[in-house]
């Protein structure tokens, strides 16, 4: 059964005339609310925006002017150590560990080797991924020189890397560095 009509004691607005209907449905409700929103939007006063001359354009991008010199960003410890020669200061050596970021197994083994080398050899610099690493790669090398371990283009489940005894690898590298 249809809902009963309400009586309107003779007081009618322009908005209520647009909303009058005999049957309330979703589509009529949506249409009615859109009509009311239009009336409210049209009634709002319009303001003008100030025009900018061609000389006064807002600076949307922060570009350094020709007078200002761009400040160099601070270097990380790995970048700073990479700038040192391979013998470093006081005859210390730099070891580079390059590992793929594809799986956490690479990261775990690289961290273990780094910790083992730093504790076993005093004054050694160990860099982990100073450059973008290759895919499926686990490589330990002396910077600009000898390679200790080089496992390249490994596929999942990374069998050759998982078969390594990391303690034996660390002790071999320590013997070769000293």
């Amino acid at each position: 059964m249809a809902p009963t009509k309400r009586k309107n004691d003779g007081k009618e607005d322009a908005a209520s005339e647009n909303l009058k209907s005999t049957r309330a449905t979703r589509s009529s409700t949506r249409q009615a609310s859109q009509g009311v929103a239009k009336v409210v939007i049209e009634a709002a006063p319009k303001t003008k925006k100030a025009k900018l001359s061609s000389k006064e354009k807002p600076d949307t991008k922060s570009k350094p002017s020709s007078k200002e010199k761009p400040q160099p960003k601070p270097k990380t410890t790995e970048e700073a150590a990479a700038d040192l020669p391979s013998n470093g200061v006081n005859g210390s050596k730099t070891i580079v560990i390059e590992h793929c970021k594809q799986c956490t197994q690479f990261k775990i083994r690289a961290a273990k080797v780094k910790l083992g080398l730093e504790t076993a050899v005093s004054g050694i610099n160990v860099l982990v991924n100073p450059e973008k690493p290759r895919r499926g790669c686990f490589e330990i090398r002396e910077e600009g020189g000898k390679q200790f371990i080089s496992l390249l283009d490994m596929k999942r489940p990374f069998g050759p890397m998982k078969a390594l005894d990391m303690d034996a690898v660390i002790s071999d590298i320590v013997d070769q560095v000293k």
Side-chain angles (χ1 to χ4, degrees), residues 35-80:
V36 172
K38 288 179 184 176
V39 172
V40 172
I41 291 172
E42 291 174 2
K46 295 181 180 180
T47 59
K48 293 184 179 180
K49 294 182 179 178
K51 292 183 180 179
L52 296 174
S53 66
S54 61
K55 295 179 182 178
E56 299 176 357
K57 288 185 179 178
D59 188 20
T60 56
K61 296 180 182 177
S62 59
K63 295 179 183 176
S65 65
S66 59
K67 295 177 184 177
E68 298 175 10
K69 292 183 181 179
Q71 303 243 346
K73 65 178 188 176
K75 294 184 179 182
T76 61
T77 57
E78 292 177 353
E79 292 173 349

Side-chain angles (χ1 to χ4, degrees), residues 113-164:
V113 170
K114 180 179 180 178
L115 182 66
L117 289 175
E118 288 176 342
T119 56
V121 180
S122 62
I124 192 169
N125 295 325
V126 181
L127 302 176
V128 179
N129 284 344
E131 297 174 3
K132 185 177 179 182
R134 295 170 279 182
R135 185 174 182 200
C137 170
F138 186 77
E139 189 172 69
I140 304 171
R141 64 181 182 268
E142 197 172 356
E143 189 174 41
K146 185 178 180 180
Q147 288 184 349
F148 302 112
I149 291 181
S150 182
L151 301 173
L152 303 175
D153 296 326
M154 286 187 289
K155 306 284 183 197
R156 285 188 183 267
F158 314 115
M161 181 184 64
K162 289 184 178 179
L164 288 175

